[in-house]
Amino acid sequence: MAEDPISHSELDALTRRVEAVEDRVESLQVQAGGNFAAVIEGQAALRREVRDGFTKLNARFDTLEAKMDNNQAQIVELLTALVGKNPNED
């Protein structure tokens, strides 16, 4: 049985089209992979920035809390010194 020349040429054309599509898919995967990696890195950088911001904010709160504790201690000390004193006396 002889090969059909039209079918063979159509098969060659389809093979070329499939190869072209595969090349394009591979190209898109590479492009998407690069962009995806950039997005992931961007998100990681944002998480680091937020984490660093929280660390700095916590440090400021710790400093503020220490100042408040010191001020409260001074107030208690002053009030303790005033207890039992006549406010009209000097």
Side-chain angles (χ1 to χ4, degrees):
M1 184 176 227
E3 288 187 56
D4 184 355
I6 296 175
S7 296
H8 192 29
S9 66
E10 288 177 348
L11 183 58
D12 287 343
L14 286 173
T15 301
R16 286 190 300 273
R17 287 182 65 191
V18 167
E19 289 172 353
V21 168
E22 286 175 345
D23 288 344
R24 183 66 180 141
V25 167
E26 184 178 336
S27 174
L28 289 173
Q29 287 174 337
V30 168
Q31 289 175 3
N35 291 339
F36 186 69
V39 167
I40 295 299
E41 179 53 38
Q43 288 177 342
L46 181 59
R47 282 193 300 273
R48 285 191 298 270
E49 186 177 331
V50 168
R51 185 180 58 240
D52 291 347
F54 276 122
T55 300
K56 290 175 184 175
L57 187 59
N58 282 334
R60 287 183 179 170
F61 276 126
D62 289 345
T63 301
L64 181 59
E65 187 176 28
K67 286 180 181 179
M68 288 173 53
D69 288 345
N70 186 35
N71 287 343
Q72 287 176 348
Q74 288 177 345
I75 290 170
V76 168
E77 188 178 311
L78 291 171
L79 289 174
T80 301
L82 291 174
V83 170
K85 288 193 173 181
N86 186 343
N88 295 324
E89 292 180 6
D90 197 14

mmCIF file of all heavy atoms in Angstrom, residues 37-90:
data_model
loop_
_atom_site.group_PDB
_atom_site.id
_atom_site.type_symbol
_atom_site.label_atom_id
_atom_site.label_comp_id
_atom_site.label_asym_id
_atom_site.label_seq_id
_atom_site.Cartn_x
_atom_site.Cartn_y
_atom_site.Cartn_z
ATOM 1 N N ALA A 37 9.106 34.230 40.141
ATOM 2 C CA ALA A 37 10.209 34.352 41.089
ATOM 3 C C ALA A 37 10.328 35.792 41.588
ATOM 4 O O ALA A 37 10.564 36.024 42.771
ATOM 5 C CB ALA A 37 11.516 33.902 40.446
ATOM 6 N N ALA A 38 10.134 36.749 40.695
ATOM 7 C CA ALA A 38 10.201 38.162 41.097
ATOM 8 C C ALA A 38 9.064 38.498 42.064
ATOM 9 O O ALA A 38 9.266 39.232 43.036
ATOM 10 C CB ALA A 38 10.134 39.058 39.861
ATOM 11 N N VAL A 39 7.888 37.960 41.801
ATOM 12 C CA VAL A 39 6.751 38.203 42.699
ATOM 13 C C VAL A 39 7.029 37.601 44.072
ATOM 14 O O VAL A 39 6.810 38.243 45.103
ATOM 15 C CB VAL A 39 5.446 37.617 42.094
ATOM 16 C CG1 VAL A 39 4.336 37.573 43.120
ATOM 17 C CG2 VAL A 39 5.026 38.421 40.884
ATOM 18 N N ILE A 40 7.535 36.375 44.086
ATOM 19 C CA ILE A 40 7.856 35.717 45.358
ATOM 20 C C ILE A 40 8.915 36.507 46.121
ATOM 21 O O ILE A 40 8.789 36.729 47.324
ATOM 22 C CB ILE A 40 8.331 34.265 45.113
ATOM 23 C CG1 ILE A 40 7.196 33.423 44.527
ATOM 24 C CG2 ILE A 40 8.877 33.631 46.380
ATOM 25 C CD1 ILE A 40 5.982 33.305 45.402
ATOM 26 N N GLU A 41 9.951 36.958 45.416
ATOM 27 C CA GLU A 41 10.999 37.737 46.070
ATOM 28 C C GLU A 41 10.443 39.068 46.585
ATOM 29 O O GLU A 41 10.792 39.514 47.668
ATOM 30 C CB GLU A 41 12.176 37.987 45.126
ATOM 31 C CG GLU A 41 13.288 38.818 45.728
ATOM 32 C CD GLU A 41 13.809 38.304 47.057
ATOM 33 O OE1 GLU A 41 13.916 37.081 47.239
ATOM 34 O OE2 GLU A 41 14.115 39.144 47.937
ATOM 35 N N GLY A 42 9.566 39.681 45.795
ATOM 36 C CA GLY A 42 8.936 40.923 46.235
ATOM 37 C C GLY A 42 8.120 40.719 47.500
ATOM 38 O O GLY A 42 8.153 41.543 48.421
ATOM 39 N N GLN A 43 7.386 39.622 47.550
ATOM 40 C CA GLN A 43 6.597 39.323 48.740
ATOM 41 C C GLN A 43 7.499 39.041 49.937
ATOM 42 O O GLN A 43 7.217 39.488 51.054
ATOM 43 C CB GLN A 43 5.676 38.130 48.486
ATOM 44 C CG GLN A 43 4.530 38.453 47.561
ATOM 45 C CD GLN A 43 3.671 37.233 47.259
ATOM 46 O OE1 GLN A 43 4.079 36.106 47.451
ATOM 47 N NE2 GLN A 43 2.467 37.484 46.782
ATOM 48 N N ALA A 44 8.584 38.335 49.704
ATOM 49 C CA ALA A 44 9.531 38.052 50.784
ATOM 50 C C ALA A 44 10.147 39.350 51.308
ATOM 51 O O ALA A 44 10.286 39.540 52.519
ATOM 52 C CB ALA A 44 10.615 37.091 50.305
ATOM 53 N N ALA A 45 10.487 40.246 50.396
ATOM 54 C CA ALA A 45 11.050 41.541 50.800
ATOM 55 C C ALA A 45 10.031 42.342 51.599
ATOM 56 O O ALA A 45 10.374 42.976 52.603
ATOM 57 C CB ALA A 45 11.501 42.328 49.574
ATOM 58 N N LEU A 46 8.777 42.299 51.177
ATOM 59 C CA LEU A 46 7.723 43.006 51.905
ATOM 60 C C LEU A 46 7.543 42.411 53.296
ATOM 61 O O LEU A 46 7.406 43.150 54.276
ATOM 62 C CB LEU A 46 6.407 42.938 51.118
ATOM 63 C CG LEU A 46 5.211 43.656 51.732
ATOM 64 C CD1 LEU A 46 5.512 45.142 51.931
ATOM 65 C CD2 LEU A 46 3.989 43.491 50.849
ATOM 66 N N ARG A 47 7.569 41.071 53.391
ATOM 67 C CA ARG A 47 7.451 40.435 54.710
ATOM 68 C C ARG A 47 8.614 40.828 55.610
ATOM 69 O O ARG A 47 8.421 41.098 56.801
ATOM 70 C CB ARG A 47 7.388 38.912 54.556
ATOM 71 C CG ARG A 47 6.032 38.395 54.117
ATOM 72 C CD ARG A 47 5.914 36.887 54.281
ATOM 73 N NE ARG A 47 6.904 36.157 53.513
ATOM 74 C CZ ARG A 47 6.766 35.784 52.256
ATOM 75 N NH1 ARG A 47 5.659 36.066 51.615
ATOM 76 N NH2 ARG A 47 7.725 35.116 51.634
ATOM 77 N N ARG A 48 9.831 40.886 55.045
ATOM 78 C CA ARG A 48 10.991 41.306 55.842
ATOM 79 C C ARG A 48 10.818 42.745 56.317
ATOM 80 O O ARG A 48 11.113 43.072 57.471
ATOM 81 C CB ARG A 48 12.275 41.169 55.028
ATOM 82 C CG ARG A 48 12.767 39.740 54.865
ATOM 83 C CD ARG A 48 14.182 39.687 54.272
ATOM 84 N NE ARG A 48 14.248 40.257 52.936
ATOM 85 C CZ ARG A 48 14.058 39.584 51.807
ATOM 86 N NH1 ARG A 48 13.766 38.293 51.847
ATOM 87 N NH2 ARG A 48 14.151 40.179 50.636
ATOM 88 N N GLU A 49 10.338 43.607 55.427
ATOM 89 C CA GLU A 49 10.137 45.017 55.789
ATOM 90 C C GLU A 49 9.099 45.155 56.900
ATOM 91 O O GLU A 49 9.296 45.907 57.854
ATOM 92 C CB GLU A 49 9.696 45.791 54.543
ATOM 93 C CG GLU A 49 9.585 47.278 54.760
ATOM 94 C CD GLU A 49 9.207 48.012 53.486
ATOM 95 O OE1 GLU A 49 9.546 47.539 52.386
ATOM 96 O OE2 GLU A 49 8.553 49.062 53.610
ATOM 97 N N VAL A 50 8.011 44.407 56.777
ATOM 98 C CA VAL A 50 6.962 44.453 57.816
ATOM 99 C C VAL A 50 7.511 43.918 59.132
ATOM 100 O O VAL A 50 7.297 44.510 60.192
ATOM 101 C CB VAL A 50 5.717 43.659 57.359
ATOM 102 C CG1 VAL A 50 4.753 43.443 58.503
ATOM 103 C CG2 VAL A 50 5.029 44.379 56.201
ATOM 104 N N ARG A 51 8.241 42.795 59.059
ATOM 105 C CA ARG A 51 8.818 42.208 60.274
ATOM 106 C C ARG A 51 9.790 43.182 60.932
ATOM 107 O O ARG A 51 9.759 43.386 62.147
ATOM 108 C CB ARG A 51 9.519 40.896 59.937
ATOM 109 C CG ARG A 51 10.040 40.152 61.160
ATOM 110 C CD ARG A 51 10.744 38.844 60.812
ATOM 111 N NE ARG A 51 11.851 39.069 59.905
ATOM 112 C CZ ARG A 51 11.964 38.528 58.687
ATOM 113 N NH1 ARG A 51 11.042 37.714 58.240
ATOM 114 N NH2 ARG A 51 13.004 38.789 57.924
ATOM 115 N N ASP A 52 10.635 43.835 60.127
ATOM 116 C CA ASP A 52 11.580 44.823 60.667
ATOM 117 C C ASP A 52 10.834 46.007 61.273
ATOM 118 O O ASP A 52 11.224 46.528 62.316
ATOM 119 C CB ASP A 52 12.538 45.303 59.582
ATOM 120 C CG ASP A 52 13.515 44.229 59.139
ATOM 121 O OD1 ASP A 52 13.626 43.192 59.830
ATOM 122 O OD2 ASP A 52 14.150 44.415 58.080
ATOM 123 N N GLY A 53 9.751 46.415 60.618
ATOM 124 C CA GLY A 53 8.936 47.501 61.149
ATOM 125 C C GLY A 53 8.330 47.138 62.496
ATOM 126 O O GLY A 53 8.329 47.951 63.426
ATOM 127 N N PHE A 54 7.846 45.902 62.616
ATOM 128 C CA PHE A 54 7.284 45.460 63.892
ATOM 129 C C PHE A 54 8.367 45.375 64.967
ATOM 130 O O PHE A 54 8.132 45.719 66.123
ATOM 131 C CB PHE A 54 6.579 44.106 63.758
ATOM 132 C CG PHE A 54 5.163 44.215 63.281
ATOM 133 C CD1 PHE A 54 4.766 43.570 62.127
ATOM 134 C CD2 PHE A 54 4.221 44.953 63.979
ATOM 135 C CE1 PHE A 54 3.465 43.670 61.671
ATOM 136 C CE2 PHE A 54 2.924 45.060 63.543
ATOM 137 C CZ PHE A 54 2.532 44.417 62.387
ATOM 138 N N THR A 55 9.559 44.951 64.568
ATOM 139 C CA THR A 55 10.658 44.878 65.528
ATOM 140 C C THR A 55 10.989 46.270 66.053
ATOM 141 O O THR A 55 11.154 46.464 67.260
ATOM 142 C CB THR A 55 11.904 44.244 64.868
ATOM 143 O OG1 THR A 55 11.559 42.924 64.430
ATOM 144 C CG2 THR A 55 13.069 44.175 65.814
ATOM 145 N N LYS A 56 11.070 47.240 65.145
ATOM 146 C CA LYS A 56 11.347 48.618 65.560
ATOM 147 C C LYS A 56 10.215 49.179 66.413
ATOM 148 O O LYS A 56 10.451 49.864 67.406
ATOM 149 C CB LYS A 56 11.570 49.505 64.336
ATOM 150 C CG LYS A 56 12.863 49.218 63.618
ATOM 151 C CD LYS A 56 12.994 50.037 62.350
ATOM 152 C CE LYS A 56 14.257 49.662 61.584
ATOM 153 N NZ LYS A 56 14.337 50.360 60.303
ATOM 154 N N LEU A 57 8.977 48.876 66.017
ATOM 155 C CA LEU A 57 7.822 49.349 66.777
ATOM 156 C C LEU A 57 7.810 48.738 68.171
ATOM 157 O O LEU A 57 7.555 49.436 69.158
ATOM 158 C CB LEU A 57 6.529 48.996 66.030
ATOM 159 C CG LEU A 57 5.233 49.542 66.586
ATOM 160 C CD1 LEU A 57 5.257 51.060 66.643
ATOM 161 C CD2 LEU A 57 4.060 49.071 65.748
ATOM 162 N N ASN A 58 8.116 47.452 68.271
ATOM 163 C CA ASN A 58 8.180 46.803 69.584
ATOM 164 C C ASN A 58 9.266 47.421 70.448
ATOM 165 O O ASN A 58 9.077 47.593 71.654
ATOM 166 C CB ASN A 58 8.422 45.291 69.430
ATOM 167 C CG ASN A 58 7.160 44.562 69.042
ATOM 168 O OD1 ASN A 58 6.061 45.005 69.332
ATOM 169 N ND2 ASN A 58 7.316 43.436 68.382
ATOM 170 N N ALA A 59 10.401 47.771 69.840
ATOM 171 C CA ALA A 59 11.480 48.415 70.587
ATOM 172 C C ALA A 59 11.019 49.775 71.116
ATOM 173 O O ALA A 59 11.311 50.134 72.263
ATOM 174 C CB ALA A 59 12.719 48.569 69.716
ATOM 175 N N ARG A 60 10.283 50.507 70.297
ATOM 176 C CA ARG A 60 9.770 51.816 70.745
ATOM 177 C C ARG A 60 8.760 51.644 71.875
ATOM 178 O O ARG A 60 8.755 52.414 72.828
ATOM 179 C CB ARG A 60 9.132 52.562 69.573
ATOM 180 C CG ARG A 60 10.139 53.088 68.592
ATOM 181 C CD ARG A 60 9.501 53.876 67.494
ATOM 182 N NE ARG A 60 10.491 54.387 66.563
ATOM 183 C CZ ARG A 60 10.204 54.947 65.425
ATOM 184 N NH1 ARG A 60 8.950 55.088 65.051
ATOM 185 N NH2 ARG A 60 11.163 55.383 64.638
ATOM 186 N N PHE A 61 7.904 50.634 71.757
ATOM 187 C CA PHE A 61 6.938 50.375 72.827
ATOM 188 C C PHE A 61 7.658 49.974 74.116
ATOM 189 O O PHE A 61 7.267 50.387 75.206
ATOM 190 C CB PHE A 61 5.933 49.297 72.429
ATOM 191 C CG PHE A 61 4.774 49.812 71.630
ATOM 192 C CD1 PHE A 61 4.462 49.253 70.412
ATOM 193 C CD2 PHE A 61 3.978 50.855 72.098
ATOM 194 C CE1 PHE A 61 3.390 49.730 69.668
ATOM 195 C CE2 PHE A 61 2.914 51.333 71.363
ATOM 196 C CZ PHE A 61 2.615 50.769 70.142
ATOM 197 N N ASP A 62 8.718 49.177 73.983
ATOM 198 C CA ASP A 62 9.485 48.791 75.164
ATOM 199 C C ASP A 62 10.095 50.019 75.829
ATOM 200 O O ASP A 62 10.073 50.146 77.057
ATOM 201 C CB ASP A 62 10.590 47.793 74.793
ATOM 202 C CG ASP A 62 10.032 46.422 74.429
ATOM 203 O OD1 ASP A 62 8.846 46.144 74.729
ATOM 204 O OD2 ASP A 62 10.793 45.628 73.821
ATOM 205 N N THR A 63 10.627 50.942 75.021
ATOM 206 C CA THR A 63 11.203 52.179 75.555
ATOM 207 C C THR A 63 10.134 53.022 76.228
ATOM 208 O O THR A 63 10.335 53.538 77.340
ATOM 209 C CB THR A 63 11.878 52.980 74.424
ATOM 210 O OG1 THR A 63 12.899 52.183 73.831
ATOM 211 C CG2 THR A 63 12.470 54.271 74.933
ATOM 212 N N LEU A 64 8.985 53.140 75.565
ATOM 213 C CA LEU A 64 7.876 53.908 76.135
ATOM 214 C C LEU A 64 7.386 53.278 77.431
ATOM 215 O O LEU A 64 7.123 53.980 78.412
ATOM 216 C CB LEU A 64 6.736 54.003 75.116
ATOM 217 C CG LEU A 64 5.497 54.788 75.533
ATOM 218 C CD1 LEU A 64 5.862 56.230 75.868
ATOM 219 C CD2 LEU A 64 4.461 54.747 74.431
ATOM 220 N N GLU A 65 7.291 51.961 77.444
ATOM 221 C CA GLU A 65 6.836 51.254 78.646
ATOM 222 C C GLU A 65 7.806 51.479 79.798
ATOM 223 O O GLU A 65 7.396 51.700 80.944
ATOM 224 C CB GLU A 65 6.695 49.767 78.341
ATOM 225 C CG GLU A 65 6.060 48.984 79.477
ATOM 226 C CD GLU A 65 5.840 47.533 79.106
ATOM 227 O OE1 GLU A 65 6.591 46.993 78.270
ATOM 228 O OE2 GLU A 65 4.910 46.939 79.676
ATOM 229 N N ALA A 66 9.105 51.465 79.501
ATOM 230 C CA ALA A 66 10.108 51.706 80.540
ATOM 231 C C ALA A 66 9.985 53.121 81.092
ATOM 232 O O ALA A 66 10.085 53.338 82.311
ATOM 233 C CB ALA A 66 11.507 51.465 79.981
ATOM 234 N N LYS A 67 9.757 54.094 80.202
ATOM 235 C CA LYS A 67 9.580 55.479 80.655
ATOM 236 C C LYS A 67 8.326 55.611 81.515
ATOM 237 O O LYS A 67 8.331 56.307 82.538
ATOM 238 C CB LYS A 67 9.496 56.421 79.463
ATOM 239 C CG LYS A 67 10.813 56.661 78.769
ATOM 240 C CD LYS A 67 10.668 57.609 77.589
ATOM 241 C CE LYS A 67 11.983 57.831 76.886
ATOM 242 N NZ LYS A 67 11.845 58.733 75.725
ATOM 243 N N MET A 68 7.252 54.958 81.097
ATOM 244 C CA MET A 68 6.008 55.013 81.879
ATOM 245 C C MET A 68 6.206 54.370 83.253
ATOM 246 O O MET A 68 5.739 54.902 84.273
ATOM 247 C CB MET A 68 4.870 54.309 81.117
ATOM 248 C CG MET A 68 4.391 55.093 79.915
ATOM 249 S SD MET A 68 3.194 54.210 78.885
ATOM 250 C CE MET A 68 1.950 53.719 80.027
ATOM 251 N N ASP A 69 6.906 53.234 83.284
ATOM 252 C CA ASP A 69 7.186 52.584 84.569
ATOM 253 C C ASP A 69 7.997 53.505 85.468
ATOM 254 O O ASP A 69 7.724 53.617 86.672
ATOM 255 C CB ASP A 69 7.940 51.264 84.355
ATOM 256 C CG ASP A 69 7.061 50.170 83.758
ATOM 257 O OD1 ASP A 69 5.816 50.314 83.769
ATOM 258 O OD2 ASP A 69 7.636 49.162 83.279
ATOM 259 N N ASN A 70 8.982 54.182 84.895
ATOM 260 C CA ASN A 70 9.810 55.106 85.663
ATOM 261 C C ASN A 70 8.967 56.269 86.189
ATOM 262 O O ASN A 70 9.081 56.647 87.357
ATOM 263 C CB ASN A 70 10.963 55.618 84.791
ATOM 264 C CG ASN A 70 11.939 56.462 85.578
ATOM 265 O OD1 ASN A 70 12.188 56.212 86.743
ATOM 266 N ND2 ASN A 70 12.507 57.462 84.924
ATOM 267 N N ASN A 71 8.110 56.828 85.315
ATOM 268 C CA ASN A 71 7.250 57.936 85.738
ATOM 269 C C ASN A 71 6.267 57.493 86.824
ATOM 270 O O ASN A 71 6.029 58.225 87.788
ATOM 271 C CB ASN A 71 6.483 58.504 84.549
ATOM 272 C CG ASN A 71 7.370 59.303 83.617
ATOM 273 O OD1 ASN A 71 8.467 59.707 83.976
ATOM 274 N ND2 ASN A 71 6.900 59.506 82.391
ATOM 275 N N GLN A 72 5.709 56.304 86.674
ATOM 276 C CA GLN A 72 4.786 55.796 87.691
ATOM 277 C C GLN A 72 5.498 55.596 89.022
ATOM 278 O O GLN A 72 4.957 55.913 90.088
ATOM 279 C CB GLN A 72 4.141 54.487 87.236
ATOM 280 C CG GLN A 72 3.106 54.677 86.149
ATOM 281 C CD GLN A 72 2.552 53.358 85.638
ATOM 282 O OE1 GLN A 72 3.073 52.300 85.913
ATOM 283 N NE2 GLN A 72 1.477 53.452 84.863
ATOM 284 N N ALA A 73 6.735 55.106 88.973
ATOM 285 C CA ALA A 73 7.515 54.911 90.190
ATOM 286 C C ALA A 73 7.779 56.252 90.866
ATOM 287 O O ALA A 73 7.690 56.362 92.102
ATOM 288 C CB ALA A 73 8.826 54.197 89.871
ATOM 289 N N GLN A 74 8.084 57.281 90.077
ATOM 290 C CA GLN A 74 8.314 58.611 90.648
ATOM 291 C C GLN A 74 7.036 59.163 91.275
ATOM 292 O O GLN A 74 7.081 59.781 92.341
ATOM 293 C CB GLN A 74 8.834 59.563 89.575
ATOM 294 C CG GLN A 74 10.260 59.293 89.147
ATOM 295 C CD GLN A 74 10.703 60.221 88.022
ATOM 296 O OE1 GLN A 74 9.897 60.876 87.379
ATOM 297 N NE2 GLN A 74 12.012 60.259 87.787
ATOM 298 N N ILE A 75 5.899 58.946 90.600
ATOM 299 C CA ILE A 75 4.611 59.425 91.132
ATOM 300 C C ILE A 75 4.305 58.723 92.449
ATOM 301 O O ILE A 75 3.910 59.364 93.446
ATOM 302 C CB ILE A 75 3.479 59.208 90.108
ATOM 303 C CG1 ILE A 75 3.660 60.158 88.925
ATOM 304 C CG2 ILE A 75 2.109 59.395 90.752
ATOM 305 C CD1 ILE A 75 2.744 59.861 87.740
ATOM 306 N N VAL A 76 4.496 57.418 92.494
ATOM 307 C CA VAL A 76 4.251 56.664 93.736
ATOM 308 C C VAL A 76 5.179 57.155 94.831
ATOM 309 O O VAL A 76 4.756 57.340 95.985
ATOM 310 C CB VAL A 76 4.424 55.143 93.493
ATOM 311 C CG1 VAL A 76 4.458 54.376 94.802
ATOM 312 C CG2 VAL A 76 3.317 54.619 92.597
ATOM 313 N N GLU A 77 6.415 57.392 94.496
ATOM 314 C CA GLU A 77 7.390 57.893 95.471
ATOM 315 C C GLU A 77 6.972 59.258 96.012
ATOM 316 O O GLU A 77 7.005 59.499 97.230
ATOM 317 C CB GLU A 77 8.770 57.981 94.801
ATOM 318 C CG GLU A 77 9.918 58.292 95.738
ATOM 319 C CD GLU A 77 11.233 58.310 94.987
ATOM 320 O OE1 GLU A 77 11.506 57.359 94.240
ATOM 321 O OE2 GLU A 77 11.977 59.291 95.145
ATOM 322 N N LEU A 78 6.545 60.156 95.132
ATOM 323 C CA LEU A 78 6.101 61.486 95.559
ATOM 324 C C LEU A 78 4.825 61.402 96.395
ATOM 325 O O LEU A 78 4.694 62.083 97.420
ATOM 326 C CB LEU A 78 5.886 62.388 94.345
ATOM 327 C CG LEU A 78 7.139 62.809 93.589
ATOM 328 C CD1 LEU A 78 6.761 63.522 92.291
ATOM 329 C CD2 LEU A 78 8.012 63.713 94.458
ATOM 330 N N LEU A 79 3.878 60.585 95.972
ATOM 331 C CA LEU A 79 2.636 60.434 96.731
ATOM 332 C C LEU A 79 2.904 59.815 98.098
ATOM 333 O O LEU A 79 2.294 60.213 99.109
ATOM 334 C CB LEU A 79 1.618 59.594 95.957
ATOM 335 C CG LEU A 79 0.994 60.269 94.739
ATOM 336 C CD1 LEU A 79 0.125 59.279 93.968
ATOM 337 C CD2 LEU A 79 0.174 61.490 95.155
ATOM 338 N N THR A 80 3.811 58.844 98.145
ATOM 339 C CA THR A 80 4.158 58.216 99.419
ATOM 340 C C THR A 80 4.771 59.248 100.357
ATOM 341 O O THR A 80 4.484 59.249 101.569
ATOM 342 C CB THR A 80 5.152 57.060 99.188
ATOM 343 O OG1 THR A 80 4.550 56.110 98.312
ATOM 344 C CG2 THR A 80 5.521 56.376 100.492
ATOM 345 N N ALA A 81 5.578 60.125 99.818
ATOM 346 C CA ALA A 81 6.197 61.169 100.638
ATOM 347 C C ALA A 81 5.155 62.154 101.150
ATOM 348 O O ALA A 81 5.324 62.749 102.222
ATOM 349 C CB ALA A 81 7.274 61.891 99.841
ATOM 350 N N LEU A 82 4.067 62.338 100.418
ATOM 351 C CA LEU A 82 3.031 63.295 100.819
ATOM 352 C C LEU A 82 2.007 62.710 101.777
ATOM 353 O O LEU A 82 1.273 63.451 102.430
ATOM 354 C CB LEU A 82 2.298 63.821 99.574
ATOM 355 C CG LEU A 82 3.101 64.714 98.656
ATOM 356 C CD1 LEU A 82 2.300 65.041 97.393
ATOM 357 C CD2 LEU A 82 3.509 66.004 99.375
ATOM 358 N N VAL A 83 1.930 61.415 101.877
ATOM 359 C CA VAL A 83 0.929 60.769 102.727
ATOM 360 C C VAL A 83 1.180 61.174 104.182
ATOM 361 O O VAL A 83 2.278 61.110 104.692
ATOM 362 C CB VAL A 83 0.990 59.224 102.592
ATOM 363 C CG1 VAL A 83 0.114 58.548 103.650
ATOM 364 C CG2 VAL A 83 0.552 58.802 101.193
ATOM 365 N N GLY A 84 0.112 61.597 104.815
ATOM 366 C CA GLY A 84 0.183 61.975 106.210
ATOM 367 C C GLY A 84 0.623 63.414 106.414
ATOM 368 O O GLY A 84 0.611 63.899 107.557
ATOM 369 N N LYS A 85 1.003 64.110 105.397
ATOM 370 C CA LYS A 85 1.387 65.498 105.542
ATOM 371 C C LYS A 85 0.161 66.370 105.402
ATOM 372 O O LYS A 85 -0.727 66.081 104.620
ATOM 373 C CB LYS A 85 2.432 65.910 104.498
ATOM 374 C CG LYS A 85 3.806 65.330 104.738
ATOM 375 C CD LYS A 85 4.802 66.030 103.859
ATOM 376 C CE LYS A 85 6.209 65.574 104.219
ATOM 377 N NZ LYS A 85 7.215 66.237 103.424
ATOM 378 N N ASN A 86 0.146 67.447 106.134
ATOM 379 C CA ASN A 86 -0.941 68.421 106.040
ATOM 380 C C ASN A 86 -0.658 69.285 104.825
ATOM 381 O O ASN A 86 0.391 69.898 104.707
ATOM 382 C CB ASN A 86 -0.967 69.270 107.324
ATOM 383 C CG ASN A 86 -2.153 70.201 107.341
ATOM 384 O OD1 ASN A 86 -2.776 70.447 106.320
ATOM 385 N ND2 ASN A 86 -2.438 70.734 108.521
ATOM 386 N N PRO A 87 -1.597 69.334 103.866
ATOM 387 C CA PRO A 87 -1.363 70.130 102.660
ATOM 388 C C PRO A 87 -1.214 71.625 102.965
ATOM 389 O O PRO A 87 -0.654 72.365 102.165
ATOM 390 C CB PRO A 87 -2.607 69.872 101.806
ATOM 391 C CG PRO A 87 -3.608 69.278 102.684
ATOM 392 C CD PRO A 87 -2.890 68.687 103.873
ATOM 393 N N ASN A 88 -1.681 72.054 104.147
ATOM 394 C CA ASN A 88 -1.577 73.474 104.485
ATOM 395 C C ASN A 88 -0.230 73.800 105.107
ATOM 396 O O ASN A 88 0.109 74.963 105.282
ATOM 397 C CB ASN A 88 -2.694 73.884 105.441
ATOM 398 C CG ASN A 88 -4.048 73.746 104.759
ATOM 399 O OD1 ASN A 88 -4.170 74.011 103.563
ATOM 400 N ND2 ASN A 88 -5.052 73.324 105.506
ATOM 401 N N GLU A 89 0.515 72.790 105.484
ATOM 402 C CA GLU A 89 1.841 73.016 106.041
ATOM 403 C C GLU A 89 2.855 73.133 104.914
ATOM 404 O O GLU A 89 2.699 72.554 103.855
ATOM 405 C CB GLU A 89 2.241 71.858 106.952
ATOM 406 C CG GLU A 89 1.436 71.770 108.226
ATOM 407 C CD GLU A 89 1.873 70.606 109.087
ATOM 408 O OE1 GLU A 89 2.875 69.938 108.748
ATOM 409 O OE2 GLU A 89 1.209 70.342 110.085
ATOM 410 N N ASP A 90 3.910 73.840 105.220
ATOM 411 C CA ASP A 90 4.952 73.990 104.219
ATOM 412 C C ASP A 90 6.181 73.260 104.573
ATOM 413 O O ASP A 90 6.600 72.835 105.478
ATOM 414 C CB ASP A 90 5.252 75.469 104.002
ATOM 415 C CG ASP A 90 6.020 75.678 102.705
ATOM 416 O OD1 ASP A 90 6.089 74.748 101.876
ATOM 417 O OD2 ASP A 90 6.514 76.793 102.527
#
